[in-house]
Amino acid sequence: MLEIEAKARVSNQEKIKSKLIELGAKFLKKEEQEDIYFNHPARDFAKSDEALRMRKIGKNFYLTYKGPKLDKLTKTREEHEFKFSGFEEAKEILNKLKFREVATIRKQREYYALQNFIIALDEVEGLGSFIEVEKKAEHYTPEEIISFLKKLGVAEGSLERRSYLELVLAKYT
Amino acid sequence: MLEIEAKARVSNQEKIKSKLIELGAKFLKKEEQEDIYFNHPARDFAKSDEALRMRKIGKNFYLTYKGPKLDKLTKTREEHEFKFSGFEEAKEILNKLKFREVATIRKQREYYALQNFIIALDEVEGLGSFIEVEKKAEHYTPEEIISFLKKLGVAEGSLERRSYLELVLAKYT
């Protein structure tokens, strides 16, 4: 399964929200996410364009692997994830296996649903406001997402292929 | 927290069971365990004496890391474990991170409890019958476990420090 996904920087989050509601999008939930990113003991994920992430949402924990991006425009990549309990134990296991903690990213995220899209409106600590649009699909069709973003008033020039992790690292290093 | 643990080969499992009951041990549960062992992408766990294991018990899954053994007699080592859901996704993530599947071990295990000890009676596919005695403790006191095994009629000469994984690999390679 592919996760076809695009992200864009947004100057006016409220305007996007109004547009979403106007188009009939359904508000799903708001949550605070804390993500810890790790680097691999034997290769550099910054070069291989992969990611390993522990995510904390309240008392729910997820471990996610993301493969390299598949095109030049969107953030589409292979993704695998499982839910787990025992955050500190899991972190300790990653430490013992010599995965290195790279950065922690905190954000407020609101989810909306429209047609087959899941839309996330993010306020990222230290980085600002973003929109992410995602669609799970067997086949690769990024054009749909780009044209949906345009409908919301997001120009192709605002697209941001870099992950929050890359943006944070670019800012602080 | 340390897991102080000793294992021994057993010729007559029924005799051990009777002795356990006689001493007042409580039968806890019987279960079938399937363990998949992985090797590290950048070091050889066979040499570093570590282990990474996915365990399946019915619909419950556990990921466990075990550090090197701390003494010459018992199997005491640092251990970290968490419970998770999504067995295939977790296995796929380990594959993507280049952890290599080494072997799968299946066993029937009966758990008993007596004083602070947890006793496991194992019938291991292809390996035979074993007893494992375990105690969680802050401080390292293996003598207690050795003398408890003697009480059950298990001689020190039957002690087996090698893991089931090592025994399987020794048998088939």
Side-chain angles (χ1 to χ4, degrees):
Chain A
M1 185 66 80
L2 287 173
E3 181 196 72
I4 308 179
E5 186 183 322
K7 177 164 73 185
R9 201 174 266 282
V10 155
S11 52
N12 190 337
Q13 201 72 284
E14 291 309 315
K15 212 169 150 188
I16 303 274
K17 275 187 212 181
S18 309
K19 193 73 191 167
L20 277 170
I21 302 300
E22 191 188 315
L23 290 170
K26 196 186 154 199
F27 171 75
L28 298 178
K29 60 181 169 179
K30 179 173 184 164
E31 62 192 22
E32 189 169 329
Q33 303 182 339
E34 183 179 320
D35 294 337
I36 306 179
Y37 286 90
F38 292 86
N39 207 343
H40 192 274
R43 62 184 192 261
D44 186 359
F45 281 168
K47 281 179 189 141
S48 62
D49 189 26
E50 302 167 281
L52 186 69
R53 181 188 74 195
M54 283 176 75
R55 172 166 287 181
K56 196 190 266 189
I57 306 172
K59 288 180 176 173
N60 294 312
F61 313 130
Y62 304 86
L63 190 79
T64 308
Y65 165 85
K66 296 188 177 214
K69 287 186 274 294
L70 297 177
D71 71 273
K72 300 274 175 214
L73 200 58
T74 72
K75 295 176 61 209
T76 308
R77 36 174 54 186
E78 195 180 337
E79 182 171 325
H80 300 282
E81 182 171 85
F82 64 85
K83 194 175 176 182
F84 68 95
S85 54
F87 196 80
E88 289 309 319
E89 285 293 289
K91 204 169 145 187
E92 188 63 29
I93 289 177
L94 286 174
N95 281 333
K96 290 288 174 188
L97 297 173
K98 296 279 183 263
F99 283 80
R100 292 155 285 151
E101 233 173 284
V102 177
T104 299
I105 315 250
R106 288 180 195 84
K107 62 175 174 293
Q108 300 282 341
R109 170 169 280 187
E110 288 186 16
Y111 284 102
Y112 294 80
L114 183 61
Q115 297 146 25
N116 298 320
F117 300 119
I118 295 291
I119 301 107
L121 299 183
D122 291 340
E123 297 293 343
V124 188
E125 211 177 280
L127 289 181
S129 304
F130 294 85
I131 181 172
E132 280 200 2
V133 180
E134 185 189 316
K135 192 188 165 178
K136 292 211 188 297
E138 290 297 337
H139 300 290
Y140 178 55
T141 51
E143 308 76 17
E144 252 191 298
I145 283 189
I146 305 298
S147 80
F148 175 67
L149 277 169
K150 280 182 188 159
K151 236 195 273 182
L152 291 175
V154 178
E156 202 170 314
S158 317
L159 285 177
E160 177 57 78
R161 275 183 84 242
R162 287 174 294 175
S163 65
Y164 292 136
L165 174 61
E166 287 168 308
L167 292 171
V168 160
L169 293 180
K171 191 175 172 182
Y172 294 108
T173 56
Chain B
M1 184 68 78
L2 286 173
E3 179 196 73
I4 307 180
E5 185 183 323
K7 177 164 72 184
R9 201 174 266 282
V10 154
S11 52
N12 190 336
Q13 201 72 285
E14 291 308 316
K15 214 169 149 186
I16 304 274
K17 275 186 215 182
S18 310
K19 194 74 192 168
L20 277 170
I21 302 300
E22 193 188 311
L23 290 170
K26 197 185 154 201
F27 171 74
L28 298 178
K29 60 180 170 180
K30 180 174 183 162
E31 61 191 23
E32 190 170 327
Q33 302 182 340
E34 184 180 320
D35 294 337
I36 306 179
Y37 286 90
F38 292 85
N39 207 342
H40 192 273
R43 61 187 193 260
D44 186 359
F45 280 168
K47 281 177 189 142
S48 62
D49 188 27
E50 302 167 281
L52 186 69
R53 181 187 74 195
M54 283 176 73
R55 172 166 286 181
K56 195 190 269 191
I57 306 172
K59 288 181 176 172
N60 295 312
F61 313 130
Y62 304 87
L63 191 79
T64 308
Y65 165 85
K66 296 187 177 216
K69 288 186 275 292
L70 296 178
D71 71 274
K72 300 275 175 213
L73 200 58
T74 71
K75 295 175 62 209
T76 308
R77 35 173 54 186
E78 194 180 339
E79 183 173 323
H80 300 282
E81 182 171 86
F82 63 85
K83 194 174 176 182
F84 68 96
S85 54
F87 196 80
E88 290 309 318
E89 285 292 289
K91 203 169 145 189
E92 189 62 29
I93 290 177
L94 286 174
N95 282 332
K96 291 288 174 188
L97 298 173
K98 296 282 183 259
F99 283 80
R100 293 154 286 151
E101 242 176 89
V102 177
T104 299
I105 314 248
R106 288 179 194 83
K107 62 176 174 293
Q108 300 282 340
R109 169 169 281 187
E110 287 185 17
Y111 284 102
Y112 294 81
L114 183 61
Q115 297 146 23
N116 297 321
F117 300 118
I118 295 292
I119 301 107
L121 299 182
D122 290 340
E123 297 292 344
V124 188
E125 211 177 281
L127 290 181
S129 305
F130 294 85
I131 182 173
E132 280 199 2
V133 179
E134 184 189 317
K135 193 187 165 181
K136 293 212 188 295
E138 290 297 338
H139 300 289
Y140 178 54
T141 52
E143 308 77 16
E144 250 191 299
I145 282 189
I146 305 298
S147 80
F148 176 67
L149 277 170
K150 281 184 187 158
K151 237 196 272 182
L152 291 176
V154 178
E156 202 170 314
S158 317
L159 285 177
E160 177 58 78
R161 274 184 86 244
R162 287 174 294 175
S163 66
Y164 293 135
L165 174 62
E166 287 169 307
L167 291 171
V168 160
L169 293 180
K171 191 175 172 183
Y172 294 107
T173 56

